[in-house]
Coordinates of all heavy atoms in Angstrom, one line a residue:
I1 N 7.3 4.6 -7.8 CA 6.6 5.1 -6.6 C 7.7 5.5 -5.6 O 7.6 6.6 -5.1 CB 5.7 4.1 -5.9 CG1 4.5 3.8 -6.9 CG2 5.2 4.6 -4.6 CD1 3.7 2.6 -6.4
E2 N 8.7 4.8 -5.4 CA 9.8 5.1 -4.4 C 10.5 6.3 -4.8 O 10.8 7.2 -3.9 CB 10.7 3.9 -4.2 CG 10.1 2.8 -3.5 CD 11.0 1.7 -3.3 OE1 12.2 1.8 -3.3 OE2 10.6 0.5 -3.2
R3 N 10.8 6.5 -6.1 CA 11.6 7.7 -6.5 C 10.7 8.9 -6.7 O 11.2 10.0 -6.3 CB 12.3 7.3 -7.8 CG 13.6 6.5 -7.6 CD 14.3 6.2 -8.8 NE 13.7 4.9 -9.3 CZ 13.7 4.4 -10.5 NH1 14.1 5.1 -11.4 NH2 13.1 3.2 -10.8
S4 N 9.5 8.8 -7.2 CA 8.7 9.9 -7.5 C 7.8 10.4 -6.4 O 7.6 11.6 -6.2 CB 7.9 9.7 -8.8 OG 7.1 8.6 -8.5
V5 N 7.3 9.5 -5.7 CA 6.3 9.8 -4.6 C 6.8 9.6 -3.2 O 6.8 10.6 -2.4 CB 5.0 9.0 -4.8 CG1 3.9 9.2 -3.7 CG2 4.4 9.2 -6.2
L6 N 7.3 8.5 -2.9 CA 7.7 8.2 -1.5 C 9.0 8.9 -1.0 O 9.2 9.1 0.2 CB 7.9 6.6 -1.3 CG 6.7 5.8 -1.4 CD1 7.0 4.3 -1.3 CD2 5.6 6.2 -0.5
S7 N 9.7 9.4 -2.0 CA 11.0 10.1 -1.6 C 10.7 11.6 -1.3 O 11.5 12.3 -0.7 CB 12.0 10.0 -2.7 OG 11.5 10.6 -4.0
D8 N 9.5 12.1 -1.6 CA 9.2 13.4 -1.4 C 8.9 13.7 0.1 O 8.3 13.0 0.8 CB 7.8 13.7 -2.1 CG 7.3 15.1 -1.9 OD1 7.9 16.0 -2.3 OD2 6.1 15.2 -1.3
P9 N 9.7 14.8 0.6 CA 9.6 15.1 2.0 C 8.2 15.3 2.6 O 7.9 14.8 3.6 CB 10.4 16.4 2.2 CG 11.4 16.3 1.0 CD 10.5 15.6 -0.1
A10 N 7.3 15.9 1.8 CA 5.9 16.0 2.3 C 5.2 14.7 2.4 O 4.4 14.5 3.3 CB 5.2 17.0 1.3
T11 N 5.5 13.8 1.5 CA 4.9 12.5 1.5 C 5.4 11.7 2.7 O 4.7 11.0 3.4 CB 5.1 11.8 0.2 OG1 4.5 12.5 -0.8 CG2 4.5 10.4 0.3
Q12 N 6.7 11.8 3.0 CA 7.3 11.2 4.1 C 6.7 11.7 5.4 O 6.4 10.8 6.3 CB 8.8 11.4 4.1 CG 9.5 10.6 3.0 CD 11.0 10.9 2.9 OE1 11.5 11.7 3.7 NE2 11.6 10.3 1.9
Q13 N 6.5 12.9 5.5 CA 5.8 13.5 6.7 C 4.3 13.0 6.8 O 3.9 12.6 7.9 CB 5.8 15.1 6.6 CG 5.1 15.7 7.8 CD 5.8 15.4 9.1 OE1 7.0 15.3 9.2 NE2 5.0 15.4 10.2
L14 N 3.7 12.9 5.7 CA 2.3 12.3 5.7 C 2.2 11.0 6.2 O 1.4 10.5 6.9 CB 1.7 12.4 4.3 CG 0.4 12.0 4.0 CD1 -0.7 12.8 4.7 CD2 0.1 11.8 2.5
L15 N 3.3 10.1 5.8 CA 3.3 8.7 6.2 C 3.9 8.4 7.5 O 4.0 7.2 7.9 CB 4.0 7.9 5.1 CG 3.3 8.0 3.7 CD1 4.3 7.3 2.7 CD2 2.0 7.3 3.7
S16 N 4.5 9.5 8.2 CA 5.3 9.3 9.4 C 4.5 8.5 10.5 O 5.1 7.9 11.3 CB 5.9 10.5 9.8 OG 4.8 11.4 10.3
G17 N 3.2 8.6 10.6 CA 2.5 8.0 11.6 C 2.0 6.6 11.3 O 1.3 5.9 12.1
L18 N 2.3 6.1 10.1 CA 2.0 4.8 9.7 C 3.1 3.9 9.8 O 4.2 4.2 9.7 CB 1.4 4.8 8.2 CG 0.2 5.8 8.0 CD1 -0.1 5.8 6.5 CD2 -1.0 5.4 8.8
H19 N 2.8 2.5 9.9 CA 3.7 1.5 9.7 C 3.7 1.0 8.3 O 2.8 0.4 7.8 CB 3.4 0.3 10.6 CG 3.4 0.7 12.1 ND1 4.5 0.9 12.9 CD2 2.3 0.9 12.9 CE1 4.2 1.2 14.1 NE2 2.8 1.3 14.1
L20 N 4.9 1.2 7.6 CA 5.0 0.8 6.2 C 5.7 -0.5 6.1 O 6.7 -0.8 6.7 CB 5.8 1.9 5.5 CG 5.3 3.3 5.6 CD1 6.2 4.3 4.8 CD2 3.9 3.4 5.0
V21 N 5.0 -1.3 5.3 CA 5.6 -2.7 4.9 C 5.7 -2.8 3.4 O 4.7 -2.6 2.8 CB 4.8 -3.8 5.5 CG1 5.3 -5.2 5.1 CG2 4.6 -3.7 7.1
K22 N 6.9 -3.1 2.9 CA 7.1 -3.2 1.5 C 7.5 -4.7 1.2 O 8.3 -5.3 2.0 CB 8.3 -2.4 1.1 CG 8.6 -2.5 -0.3 CD 9.8 -1.7 -0.7 CE 10.3 -2.1 -2.2 NZ 11.5 -1.5 -2.5
V23 N 6.8 -5.2 0.3 CA 7.0 -6.6 -0.1 C 7.3 -6.6 -1.6 O 6.6 -6.2 -2.4 CB 5.8 -7.5 0.2 CG1 6.0 -8.9 -0.3 CG2 5.3 -7.4 1.6
D24 N 8.5 -7.2 -1.9 CA 8.9 -7.4 -3.3 C 8.5 -8.7 -3.8 O 9.0 -9.7 -3.3 CB 10.5 -7.2 -3.4 CG 11.0 -7.4 -4.8 OD1 10.2 -7.6 -5.7 OD2 12.2 -7.2 -5.0
V25 N 7.5 -8.7 -4.6 CA 6.9 -10.0 -5.2 C 7.5 -10.3 -6.6 O 6.9 -11.1 -7.3 CB 5.4 -10.1 -5.1 CG1 4.9 -10.0 -3.7 CG2 4.9 -8.9 -5.9
S26 N 8.5 -9.6 -7.0 CA 9.0 -9.8 -8.4 C 9.5 -11.2 -8.7 O 9.5 -11.6 -9.9 CB 10.1 -8.8 -8.7 OG 11.2 -8.9 -7.8
E27 N 9.8 -12.0 -7.7 CA 10.3 -13.3 -8.0 C 9.1 -14.3 -8.2 O 9.3 -15.4 -8.7 CB 11.2 -13.9 -6.9 CG 12.6 -13.1 -6.9 CD 13.5 -13.7 -5.8 OE1 13.2 -14.9 -5.4 OE2 14.4 -13.0 -5.5
N28 N 8.0 -13.8 -7.8 CA 6.6 -14.6 -8.0 C 6.8 -16.0 -7.5 O 6.3 -17.0 -8.1 CB 6.3 -14.6 -9.5 CG 4.9 -14.9 -9.7 OD1 4.0 -14.6 -8.9 ND2 4.5 -15.5 -10.9
T29 N 7.3 -16.1 -6.2 CA 7.4 -17.4 -5.6 C 5.9 -17.9 -5.1 O 5.0 -17.1 -5.1 CB 8.3 -17.5 -4.4 OG1 7.7 -16.6 -3.4 CG2 9.7 -16.9 -4.8
M30 N 5.8 -19.1 -4.7 CA 4.6 -19.6 -4.2 C 4.1 -18.7 -3.0 O 2.9 -18.4 -2.9 CB 4.6 -21.0 -3.7 CG 4.8 -22.0 -4.9 SD 3.6 -21.9 -6.0 CE 2.4 -23.1 -5.3
S31 N 5.0 -18.3 -2.1 CA 4.6 -17.5 -1.0 C 4.1 -16.1 -1.4 O 3.2 -15.5 -0.9 CB 5.7 -17.4 0.1 OG 6.9 -16.8 -0.4
H32 N 4.8 -15.5 -2.4 CA 4.4 -14.3 -3.0 C 3.0 -14.4 -3.7 O 2.1 -13.5 -3.4 CB 5.4 -13.8 -4.2 CG 6.7 -13.5 -3.6 ND1 7.8 -13.5 -4.5 CD2 7.2 -13.2 -2.5 CE1 8.9 -13.2 -3.9 NE2 8.5 -13.0 -2.6
Q33 N 2.7 -15.5 -4.3 CA 1.4 -15.7 -4.9 C 0.4 -15.9 -3.9 O -0.7 -15.3 -4.0 CB 1.4 -16.9 -5.9 CG 2.3 -16.8 -7.1 CD 2.5 -18.0 -7.8 OE1 1.6 -19.0 -7.8 NE2 3.6 -18.2 -8.6
E34 N 0.7 -16.5 -2.8 CA -0.3 -16.6 -1.7 C -0.6 -15.4 -1.0 O -1.8 -15.0 -0.8 CB 0.2 -17.7 -0.7 CG -0.7 -17.8 0.6 CD -2.1 -18.2 0.2 OE1 -2.3 -18.9 -0.7 OE2 -3.0 -18.0 1.0
L35 N 0.4 -14.6 -0.8 CA 0.2 -13.2 -0.3 C -0.7 -12.3 -1.2 O -1.6 -11.7 -0.7 CB 1.6 -12.5 0.0 CG 1.4 -11.0 0.6 CD1 0.7 -11.0 1.9 CD2 2.8 -10.5 0.6
M36 N -0.4 -12.4 -2.5 CA -1.2 -11.6 -3.4 C -2.7 -12.1 -3.4 O -3.6 -11.3 -3.5 CB -0.6 -11.7 -4.8 CG 0.7 -10.8 -4.8 SD 1.6 -10.9 -6.4 CE 0.4 -10.3 -7.5
R37 N -2.8 -13.4 -3.3 CA -4.1 -14.0 -3.2 C -4.9 -13.5 -2.0 O -6.1 -13.1 -2.0 CB -4.2 -15.5 -3.3 CG -4.3 -16.1 -4.6 CD -4.5 -17.6 -4.6 NE -3.5 -18.4 -3.9 CZ -2.4 -18.8 -4.5 NH1 -2.2 -18.5 -5.8 NH2 -1.5 -19.5 -3.9
R38 N -4.2 -13.6 -0.8 CA -4.8 -13.1 0.4 C -5.2 -11.6 0.4 O -6.2 -11.2 1.0 CB -3.8 -13.4 1.6 CG -3.7 -14.8 1.9 CD -2.9 -15.2 3.1 NE -3.4 -14.5 4.3 CZ -2.7 -14.1 5.3 NH1 -1.4 -14.2 5.3 NH2 -3.2 -13.5 6.4
L39 N -4.4 -10.8 -0.2 CA -4.6 -9.3 -0.3 C -5.5 -9.0 -1.5 O -5.9 -7.9 -1.7 CB -3.3 -8.6 -0.4 CG -2.4 -8.6 0.8 CD1 -1.1 -7.9 0.5 CD2 -3.2 -8.0 2.0
E40 N -5.8 -10.1 -2.3 CA -6.6 -9.8 -3.5 C -5.9 -8.8 -4.4 O -6.6 -7.9 -5.0 CB -8.0 -9.4 -3.2 CG -8.8 -10.6 -2.5 CD -10.2 -10.2 -2.1 OE1 -10.7 -9.1 -2.6 OE2 -10.8 -11.0 -1.4
A41 N -4.6 -8.9 -4.6 CA -3.8 -8.0 -5.4 C -3.6 -8.7 -6.7 O -3.0 -9.8 -6.7 CB -2.5 -7.6 -4.8
F42 N -3.8 -8.0 -7.8 CA -3.6 -8.7 -9.1 C -2.1 -8.5 -9.6 O -1.6 -9.2 -10.4 CB -4.5 -8.0 -10.2 CG -5.9 -8.4 -9.8 CD1 -6.7 -7.5 -9.4 CD2 -6.4 -9.7 -10.1 CE1 -8.1 -7.7 -9.0 CE2 -7.7 -10.0 -9.8 CZ -8.5 -8.9 -9.2
G43 N -1.4 -7.6 -9.0 CA 0.0 -7.5 -9.3 C 0.5 -6.1 -8.7 O -0.2 -5.3 -8.3
P44 N 1.8 -6.0 -8.8 CA 2.4 -4.7 -8.3 C 2.3 -3.6 -9.4 O 2.2 -4.0 -10.5 CB 3.8 -5.1 -8.1 CG 4.1 -6.3 -9.0 CD 2.8 -6.9 -9.2
P45 N 2.3 -2.4 -9.0 CA 2.3 -1.9 -7.5 C 0.8 -1.9 -7.0 O 0.0 -1.5 -7.6 CB 2.9 -0.6 -7.6 CG 2.6 0.0 -8.9 CD 2.5 -1.2 -9.9
T46 N 0.8 -2.3 -5.8 CA -0.5 -2.3 -5.0 C -0.2 -1.7 -3.7 O 0.6 -2.3 -3.0 CB -1.2 -3.6 -5.0 OG1 -1.5 -4.1 -6.3 CG2 -2.5 -3.6 -4.2
M47 N -1.0 -0.8 -3.2 CA -0.9 -0.3 -1.8 C -2.2 -0.5 -1.1 O -3.2 -0.3 -1.6 CB -0.6 1.2 -1.8 CG 0.8 1.6 -2.4 SD 1.2 3.3 -2.3 CE 1.9 3.3 -0.7
V48 N -2.0 -1.2 0.1 CA -3.2 -1.6 0.9 C -3.0 -1.0 2.2 O -2.0 -1.1 2.8 CB -3.3 -3.1 1.0 CG1 -4.5 -3.5 1.8 CG2 -3.3 -3.8 -0.4
F49 N -4.1 -0.4 2.7 CA -4.1 0.2 4.0 C -4.9 -0.6 4.9 O -6.1 -0.9 4.7 CB -4.7 1.7 4.0 CG -3.8 2.6 3.2 CD1 -3.8 2.6 1.8 CD2 -2.9 3.4 3.8 CE1 -3.1 3.4 1.0 CE2 -2.0 4.2 3.1 CZ -2.1 4.3 1.6
L50 N -4.3 -1.0 6.1 CA -5.0 -1.9 7.0 C -5.3 -1.1 8.3 O -4.5 -0.3 8.7 CB -4.1 -3.1 7.3 CG -3.7 -3.9 6.1 CD1 -2.7 -5.1 6.5 CD2 -4.9 -4.5 5.3
D51 N -6.3 -1.5 9.0 CA -6.6 -0.9 10.3 C -5.8 -1.7 11.4 O -5.2 -2.7 11.0 CB -8.1 -0.9 10.6 CG -8.8 -2.3 10.8 OD1 -8.1 -3.3 10.9 OD2 -10.0 -2.4 10.7
P52 N -5.9 -1.3 12.6 CA -5.1 -1.9 13.6 C -5.5 -3.5 13.8 O -4.7 -4.2 14.3 CB -5.5 -1.2 15.0 CG -5.8 0.2 14.5 CD -6.5 0.0 13.1
Q53 N -6.6 -3.9 13.4 CA -7.0 -5.3 13.5 C -6.6 -6.1 12.2 O -6.9 -7.2 12.1 CB -8.6 -5.4 13.6 CG -9.0 -5.0 15.0 CD -9.0 -3.5 15.2 OE1 -9.4 -2.7 14.3 NE2 -8.6 -3.0 16.3
G54 N -6.0 -5.4 11.3 CA -5.5 -6.1 10.1 C -6.5 -6.2 9.0 O -6.2 -6.9 8.0
R55 N -7.5 -5.4 9.0 CA -8.6 -5.4 8.0 C -8.3 -4.2 7.1 O -8.0 -3.2 7.5 CB -10.0 -5.3 8.6 CG -10.4 -6.5 9.5 CD -11.7 -6.2 10.1 NE -11.7 -5.0 10.8 CZ -12.1 -5.0 12.1 NH1 -12.5 -6.0 12.7 NH2 -12.0 -3.8 12.8
E56 N -8.6 -4.4 5.8 CA -8.4 -3.4 4.9 C -9.4 -2.2 5.1 O -10.5 -2.5 5.2 CB -8.5 -3.9 3.4 CG -8.2 -2.9 2.4 CD -8.0 -3.4 1.0 OE1 -8.0 -4.6 0.8 OE2 -7.9 -2.6 0.1
V57 N -8.9 -1.0 5.1 CA -9.8 0.2 5.2 C -10.4 0.4 3.9 O -9.7 0.5 2.9 CB -9.0 1.4 5.8 CG1 -9.9 2.5 5.8 CG2 -8.3 1.1 7.0
S58 N -11.7 0.5 3.8 CA -12.5 0.7 2.6 C -12.0 2.0 1.8 O -11.7 3.0 2.5 CB -14.0 0.9 2.9 OG -14.5 -0.2 3.5
N59 N -12.0 1.8 0.5 CA -11.7 2.9 -0.4 C -10.3 3.5 -0.3 O -10.1 4.7 -0.4 CB -12.8 4.0 -0.3 CG -14.2 3.4 -0.7 OD1 -14.3 2.8 -1.7 ND2 -15.1 3.8 0.2
T60 N -9.4 2.7 0.1 CA -8.0 3.1 0.3 C -7.0 2.5 -0.6 O -5.9 3.0 -0.8 CB -7.5 3.0 1.8 OG1 -7.5 1.7 2.1 CG2 -8.4 3.9 2.7
R61 N -7.4 1.4 -1.2 CA -6.4 0.7 -2.1 C -5.9 1.5 -3.2 O -6.8 2.1 -3.9 CB -7.1 -0.6 -2.5 CG -6.2 -1.5 -3.3 CD -6.8 -2.8 -3.7 NE -7.0 -3.6 -2.6 CZ -6.5 -4.9 -2.5 NH1 -5.9 -5.4 -3.5 NH2 -6.8 -5.5 -1.4
L62 N -4.7 1.4 -3.5 CA -4.1 2.1 -4.7 C -3.5 1.1 -5.5 O -2.6 0.2 -5.1 CB -3.1 3.2 -4.2 CG -3.6 4.3 -3.4 CD1 -2.5 5.1 -2.9 CD2 -4.6 5.1 -4.1
V63 N -3.7 1.1 -6.8 CA -3.2 0.1 -7.8 C -2.7 0.8 -9.0 O -3.3 1.7 -9.5 CB -4.3 -0.9 -8.2 CG1 -3.7 -1.9 -9.3 CG2 -4.9 -1.6 -7.0
G64 N -1.5 0.4 -9.4 CA -0.9 1.0 -10.6 C -0.2 2.3 -10.3 O 0.5 2.5 -9.3
D65 N -0.4 3.3 -11.2 CA 0.3 4.6 -11.0 C -0.2 5.3 -9.8 O -1.4 5.7 -9.7 CB 0.0 5.5 -12.3 CG 0.8 6.7 -12.3 OD1 2.0 6.8 -11.7 OD2 0.2 7.8 -12.8
V66 N 0.7 5.5 -8.8 CA 0.3 6.2 -7.5 C 0.9 7.6 -7.6 O 2.0 7.8 -7.8 CB 0.9 5.5 -6.3 CG1 0.6 6.2 -5.0 CG2 0.3 4.1 -6.3
T67 N 0.0 8.6 -7.4 CA 0.4 10.0 -7.3 C 0.5 10.5 -5.9 O -0.1 9.8 -5.1 CB -0.7 10.8 -8.1 OG1 -1.9 10.7 -7.5 CG2 -0.8 10.4 -9.6
R68 N 1.1 11.6 -5.7 CA 1.1 12.2 -4.3 C -0.3 12.5 -3.9 O -0.6 12.3 -2.7 CB 2.0 13.5 -4.4 CG 3.5 13.2 -4.5 CD 4.3 14.5 -4.4 NE 5.6 14.3 -4.7 CZ 6.2 14.4 -5.9 NH1 5.5 14.8 -6.9 NH2 7.6 14.2 -6.1
S69 N -1.1 13.1 -4.7 CA -2.4 13.5 -4.3 C -3.3 12.2 -4.0 O -4.0 12.2 -3.0 CB -3.1 14.3 -5.3 OG -3.2 13.7 -6.5
G70 N -3.1 11.2 -4.8 CA -3.9 10.0 -4.6 C -3.5 9.3 -3.3 O -4.3 8.8 -2.6
L71 N -2.2 9.3 -3.1 CA -1.8 8.7 -1.8 C -2.2 9.5 -0.6 O -2.7 9.0 0.4 CB -0.2 8.6 -1.8 CG 0.5 8.1 -0.6 CD1 0.0 6.7 -0.3 CD2 2.0 8.1 -0.7
A72 N -2.2 10.9 -0.7 CA -2.6 11.7 0.4 C -4.1 11.5 0.6 O -4.5 11.4 1.9 CB -2.4 13.2 0.0
D73 N -4.9 11.3 -0.4 CA -6.3 11.0 -0.2 C -6.5 9.6 0.5 O -7.3 9.6 1.4 CB -7.1 11.0 -1.6 CG -7.2 12.4 -2.1 OD1 -7.0 13.4 -1.4 OD2 -7.5 12.5 -3.4
A74 N -5.8 8.7 0.1 CA -5.9 7.3 0.7 C -5.5 7.4 2.1 O -6.2 6.7 2.9 CB -5.1 6.3 -0.1
V75 N -4.4 8.0 2.4 CA -4.0 8.1 3.9 C -5.0 8.8 4.7 O -5.4 8.3 5.8 CB -2.6 8.8 4.0 CG1 -2.3 9.2 5.4 CG2 -1.5 8.0 3.3
S76 N -5.6 9.9 4.2 CA -6.6 10.6 4.9 C -7.9 9.7 5.2 O -8.4 9.6 6.3 CB -7.1 11.8 4.1 OG -8.2 12.5 4.7
R77 N -8.2 8.8 4.2 CA -9.4 8.0 4.3 C -9.0 6.9 5.3 O -9.8 6.5 6.1 CB -9.9 7.4 3.0 CG -10.5 8.4 2.1 CD -11.2 7.7 0.9 NE -10.2 7.0 0.0 CZ -9.6 7.6 -1.0 NH1 -9.8 8.9 -1.3 NH2 -8.7 6.9 -1.7
A78 N -7.7 6.4 5.2 CA -7.3 5.3 6.1 C -7.3 5.8 7.6 O -7.7 5.1 8.5 CB -5.9 4.9 5.7
E79 N -6.8 7.0 7.8 CA -6.8 7.6 9.2 C -8.2 7.8 9.7 O -8.5 7.5 10.9 CB -6.0 8.8 9.2 CG -4.5 8.6 9.0 CD -3.7 9.9 8.9 OE1 -4.2 11.0 8.6 OE2 -2.5 9.8 9.1
A80 N -9.1 8.2 8.9 CA -10.5 8.3 9.3 C -11.2 7.0 9.5 O -12.1 6.9 10.4 CB -11.3 9.2 8.3
G81 N -10.8 6.0 8.8 CA -11.5 4.8 8.8 C -10.9 3.8 9.9 O -11.4 2.7 10.0
S82 N -9.8 4.1 10.5 CA -9.2 3.1 11.3 C -9.4 3.5 12.8 O -9.9 4.4 13.1 CB -7.6 3.0 11.1 OG -7.0 4.2 11.2

């Protein structure tokens, strides 16, 4: 995702108004497992869009292979829903 989608200048512009948080859960520690449980994420990669109150915006979650168009659609829905 980082090399193919997030590095794209158009994608960076699209995401410029959002606060991005990246969590590396590859070590699978207890705190990683708890975070994944709280976010109801089955594994990486998972992208979750939250509103200003910290609630997930409906129909924005991306799991697995993330494409530029899929990300653009999710961002559009997130901005409309927050």
Side-chain angles (χ1 to χ4, degrees):
I1 295 172
E2 289 181 25
R3 284 178 265 156
S4 61
V5 177
L6 296 179
S7 63
D8 178 62
T11 300
Q12 291 175 2
Q13 177 64 33
L14 177 72
L15 297 174
S16 66
L18 302 177
H19 298 282
L20 304 178
V21 177
K22 176 185 172 188
V23 180
D24 180 357
V25 295
S26 59
E27 291 182 20
N28 200 29
T29 65
M30 293 299 277
S31 61
H32 293 160
Q33 292 173 26
E34 176 59 24
L35 177 62
M36 290 177 57
R37 269 192 296 278
R38 287 184 61 211
L39 293 174
E40 298 178 5
F42 295 105
T46 300
M47 295 183 86
V48 179
F49 294 83
L50 306 175
D51 67 14
Q53 290 74 39
R55 296 179 301 234
E56 185 171 353
V57 180
S58 298
N59 300 313
T60 59
R61 181 178 290 235
L62 301 173
V63 178
D65 186 33
V66 175
T67 63
R68 287 180 186 97
S69 63
L71 180 57
D73 290 345
V75 169
S76 178
R77 289 190 300 270
E79 290 176 336
S82 61

